[in-house]
Amino acid sequence: MARPPSISVVIPAYNRADTIRRCLESVVRQTLAPLEVIVVDDCSRDETVDIVKAFPDPRVRCIVLDRNAGAQAARNRGIREAKGDWVAFQDSDDEWLPKKLEKQEAALAETAYDPWTVIHTNGICVNAAARRRLQIKLPVVEGDKAYNILLSHPAPMFQAMLVSKMALDKINGLDEGVPSFQEWDTAIRLAKHCRFVFLKESLFM
């Protein structure tokens, strides 16, 4: 896989009519364009699906689950549908900074696009009421020893992760039975096979 990555963005959504448009705008405006943006709706009861289907970018498509099954099931459906060699996860109420994918791709290039690599980043916590933005202090999880670090430190966040489909297939997708700390569980399972690269710059919020 020693070539520039084709990236599929997977976004689970449930009742996010108030945030999904901002989320999508931040994804399609990336300086490194993703191949596609897959929103998997978990049976929303608001206008989320209508907003996604009306979004004016042909790369964006919407899949609606047959039943409410949770975010992990939605992510797994997105992974199965993805046409790219790599998957970047995003949450439907968050935004990426414009160069997020470009900077992750540059870090990935330094590994010769090794599929057994997970690239993740820092983020920004936005307190809208106080009009403040604070950097999230995520643990430094990187290198070949990431598994041992992750056993005691929850990280990284899904919004920050770029992972190859090969690695996700190796762990048989995400565990749909995990009710919380889903990204932590996913990272631990990936770390059994992958090395981690941590970009300390905040690239999502």
Side-chain angles (χ1 to χ4, degrees):
M1 204 181 289
R3 57 184 171 83
S6 57
I7 300 173
S8 297
V9 181
V10 172
I11 307 173
Y14 178 70
N15 291 346
R16 293 296 193 185
D18 57 338
T19 61
I20 189 65
R21 186 177 287 106
R22 284 190 293 104
C23 169
L24 290 173
E25 287 172 350
S26 78
V27 172
V28 301
R29 292 176 182 172
Q30 289 292 298
T31 53
L32 176 68
L35 173 68
E36 60 183 348
V37 183
I38 305 168
V39 178
V40 184
D41 184 81
D42 196 21
C43 299
S44 292
R45 299 179 180 181
D46 63 4
E47 304 303 314
T48 299
V49 172
D50 292 337
I51 293 170
V52 175
K53 288 184 175 180
F55 194 81
D57 191 303
R59 292 171 295 173
V60 176
R61 58 188 173 114
C62 185
I63 297 168
V64 181
L65 297 183
D66 294 332
R67 61 181 180 85
N68 181 265
Q72 291 288 79
R75 292 186 185 101
N76 275 337
R77 177 64 183 274
I79 293 166
R80 291 194 297 272
E81 296 279 345
K83 298 182 177 72
D85 296 321
W86 295 78
V87 173
F89 295 104
Q90 171 63 313
D91 281 354
S92 54
D93 59 342
D94 288 318
E95 299 175 47
W96 284 345
L97 273 65
K99 293 188 177 182
K100 190 257 188 188
L101 290 182
E102 178 184 337
K103 292 187 175 185
Q104 287 187 301
E105 189 275 340
L108 195 57
E110 294 182 5
T111 74
Y113 304 105
D114 176 15
W116 305 109
T117 303
V118 177
I119 310 286
H120 64 112
T121 81
N122 237 325
I124 298 169
C125 179
V126 179
N127 186 327
R131 297 182 179 179
R132 297 180 64 192
R133 294 184 178 185
L134 301 172
Q135 180 171 316
I136 301 170
K137 296 186 182 298
L138 292 173
V140 176
V141 178
E142 58 187 6
D144 300 324
K145 306 294 185 181
Y147 180 78
N148 292 333
I149 298 170
L150 284 166
L151 290 179
S152 57
H153 297 286
M157 299 176 72
F158 268 128
Q159 309 94 303
M161 294 172 66
L162 178 63
V163 189
S164 72
K165 276 199 73 174
M166 186 182 298
L168 291 167
D169 288 343
K170 180 69 174 180
I171 65 170
N172 297 314
L174 313 186
D175 188 341
E176 298 179 13
V178 176
S180 59
F181 291 102
Q182 293 170 342
E183 52 261 269
W184 190 12
D185 174 78
T186 302
I188 289 172
R189 294 168 63 226
L190 285 168
K192 293 180 179 179
H193 311 283
C194 300
R195 62 174 169 169
F196 281 55
V197 175
F198 180 43
L199 304 183
K200 297 176 179 63
E201 183 177 356
S202 296
L203 295 174
F204 71 90
M205 60 183 180

